[in-house]
């Protein structure tokens, strides 16, 4: 008899009249809001303004969502194309399926383009957003809990995840992704929880390192550390998961991607240490740009 376990929600959505509100979407929205708030606080300490982050978010958030979905579709095309696929499901993101690699890539590309347009120091922005991304990713994993998806192998650990077989969530009909039959009451590794804890620890570490090594690390170093920390955790967490995923040499594609990105993050950290610009220098640049924007706005209002 199982005496301790993590329960799963029996539902993944609720209705307000004719509108269906999905908890997965709510967690994504909350993650975006919290990330923008944290980034804004850090950006303002460097000499920026709230509206600058809002403008960047307007560009980066939609691009990140599109990128996240594209990555998922590209890595699991059989779910949307072919004999058993449905292309219309590509638009149904509330059912899950957002790849962090696509989100970071396209979101960062959009943010870089806007920063280049406004002459904001991109490396400084990257450091401001690094811990915010980890907190946002931690919040986002709650969406997987509500959907009852992306859990790990069966376990007897007291913090195992119990699937609500009577519920309407995604995982209620997918207790064993590998095709095996799991006995009633089987518990699973709560990989969503592992990643939440890992990400929150990483966010705290980045803030602490940034505070202690502010005069040592070059601008952009914290973002490189974010990449390394997240991919290090994602490598072992991904290896625990049993949901369907393409493999190469017997290893899940996302594990290969995590190891590759970790290596690239380490290389970037070394290059930034050698050739990057001091954070204090870019902060001064941001303050000058901000003062110029304020002056221009004042002149425009006085005309």
């Amino acid at each position: 008899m199982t005496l301790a376990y993590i329960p799963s929600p029996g539902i993944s959505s609720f209705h307000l009249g004719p509108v269906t509100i999905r908890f997965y979407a709510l967690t994504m929205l909350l993650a975006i809001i919290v990330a923008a708030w944290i980034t804004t606080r850090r950006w303002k300490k460097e000499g920026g303004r709230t509206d600058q982050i809002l403008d960047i978010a307007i560009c980066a958030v939609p691009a990140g969502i599109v990128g996240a979905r594209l990555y998922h579709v590209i890595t699991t095309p059989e779910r949307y194309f072919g004999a058993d696929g449905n292309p219309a499901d590509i638009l149904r993101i509330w059912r899950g399926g957002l790849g962090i690699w696509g989100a970071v890539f396209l979101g960062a590309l959009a943010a870089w383009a806007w920063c280049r347009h406004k002459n904001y120091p991109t490396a400084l922005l990257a450091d401001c957003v690094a811990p915010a991304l980890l907190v946002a990713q931690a919040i986002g994993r709650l969406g997987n809990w509500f959907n009852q998806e992306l859990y790990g192998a069966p376990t007897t650990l007291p913090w195992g995840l119990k699937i609500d077989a009577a519920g309407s969530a995604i995982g209620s009909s997918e207790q064993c992704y590998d095709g095996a039959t799991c006995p009633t009451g089987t518990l699973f590794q709560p990989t969503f929880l592992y990643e939440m804890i890992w990400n929150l620890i990483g966010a705290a570490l980045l803030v602490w390192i940034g505070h202690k090594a502010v005069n040592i690390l070059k601008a952009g170093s914290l973002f490189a550390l974010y990449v390394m920390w997240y991919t290090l955790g994602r490598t072992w967490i991904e290896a625990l998961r049993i949901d369907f995923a393409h493999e190469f040499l017997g290893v899940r594609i996302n594990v290969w991607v995590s190891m590759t990105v970790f290596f690239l993050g380490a290389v970037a950290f070394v290059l930034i240490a050698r050739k990057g610009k001091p954070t204090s220098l870019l902060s001064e640049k941001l303050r000058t740009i901000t003062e110029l924007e304020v002056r221009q706005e004042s002149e425009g209002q006085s005309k």
Side-chain angles (χ1 to χ4, degrees), residues 127-147:
D127 282 349
C128 290
V129 80
L133 284 176
L134 284 172
V135 173
Q137 288 169 240
I139 295 173
R141 282 305 175 192
L142 285 173
N144 300 136
W145 180 57
F146 278 105
N147 276 355

Side-chain angles (χ1 to χ4, degrees), residues 24 28 32 35 55-73 90 93 97-112 129 133 136-137 226:
Y24 184 87
M28 295 301 109
I32 292 170
D55 289 341
I56 293 171
I58 290 173
C59 298
V61 171
I65 294 174
V66 171
R69 191 58 171 175
L70 284 177
Y71 179 88
H72 175 72
V73 172
I90 294 176
I93 63 174
L98 297 175
I100 184 61
W101 311 120
V104 173
F105 178 74
L106 272 191
L109 187 62
W112 170 83
V129 80
L133 284 176
Q137 288 169 240
Y226 149 73

Side-chain angles (χ1 to χ4, degrees), residues 206 209 217 220-230 265 269:
L206 288 183
I209 291 172
L217 295 177
S221 296
L222 288 183
F223 189 81
L225 288 175
Y226 149 73
V227 171
M228 294 168 64
W229 177 266
Y230 177 73
F269 183 80

Side-chain angles (χ1 to χ4, degrees), residues 62-292:
I65 294 174
V66 171
R69 191 58 171 175
L70 284 177
Y71 179 88
H72 175 72
V73 172
I74 291 171
T75 54
T76 55
E78 64 282 344
R79 296 185 179 184
Y80 308 100
F81 306 101
D84 298 324
N86 181 8
D89 285 342
I90 294 176
L91 301 177
R92 300 185 176 103
I93 63 174
W94 56 85
R95 295 183 177 179
L98 297 175
I100 184 61
W101 311 120
V104 173
F105 178 74
L106 272 191
L109 187 62
W112 170 83
W114 183 257
C115 286
R116 185 175 177 83
H117 170 64
K118 301 294 288 187
N119 204 30
Y120 301 149
T122 307
L124 192 62
L125 173 67
D127 282 349
C128 290
V129 80
L133 284 176
L134 284 172
V135 173
Q137 288 169 240
I139 295 173
R141 282 305 175 192
L142 285 173
N144 300 136
W145 180 57
F146 278 105
N147 276 355
Q148 299 189 61
E149 60 181 354
L150 308 185
Y151 41 79
T155 182
T156 57
L157 293 170
W159 56 81
L161 178 67
K162 185 176 182 180
I163 301 300
D164 183 3
S168 60
I170 291 175
S172 63
S173 61
E174 298 180 297
Q175 289 194 13
C176 281
Y177 289 88
D178 58 4
T181 300
C182 289
T184 302
T186 297
L187 302 182
F188 299 88
Q189 293 278 8
T191 50
F192 81 92
L193 179 61
Y194 297 159
E195 188 167 328
M196 283 184 64
I197 295 173
W198 180 267
N199 289 345
L200 292 175
I201 292 174
L205 282 175
L206 288 183
V207 172
W208 181 78
I209 291 172
H211 177 70
K212 292 295 183 179
V214 64
N215 296 320
I216 300 174
L217 295 177
K218 300 291 182 62
S221 296
L222 288 183
F223 189 81
L225 288 175
Y226 149 73
V227 171
M228 294 168 64
W229 177 266
Y230 177 73
T231 52
L232 181 64
R234 184 62 184 268
T235 298
W236 66 267
I237 294 172
E238 184 73 24
L240 293 175
R241 284 168 44 172
I242 59 174
D243 55 298
F244 172 78
H246 291 290
E247 296 182 352
F248 177 69
L249 299 179
V251 179
R252 294 165 68 95
I253 292 296
N254 278 337
V255 174
W256 286 111
V257 173
S258 295
M259 292 188 294
T260 301
V261 177
F262 176 88
F263 174 75
L264 294 176
V267 171
F269 183 80
V270 173
L271 292 177
I272 291 170
R274 292 180 178 179
K275 301 182 179 181
K277 296 181 180 180
T279 298
S280 57
L281 179 63
L282 295 186
S283 293
E284 185 60 33
K285 176 183 177 180
L286 178 59
R287 290 189 182 92
T288 301
I289 293 173
T290 300
E291 291 173 1
L292 179 60

Side-chain angles (χ1 to χ4, degrees), residues 11-31:
I11 61 172
S12 59
S13 63
F14 62 93
H15 298 279
L16 289 178
V19 180
T20 300
I21 307 297
R22 303 183 185 275
F23 289 109
Y24 184 87
L26 290 179
T27 59
M28 295 301 109
L29 180 61
L30 178 61

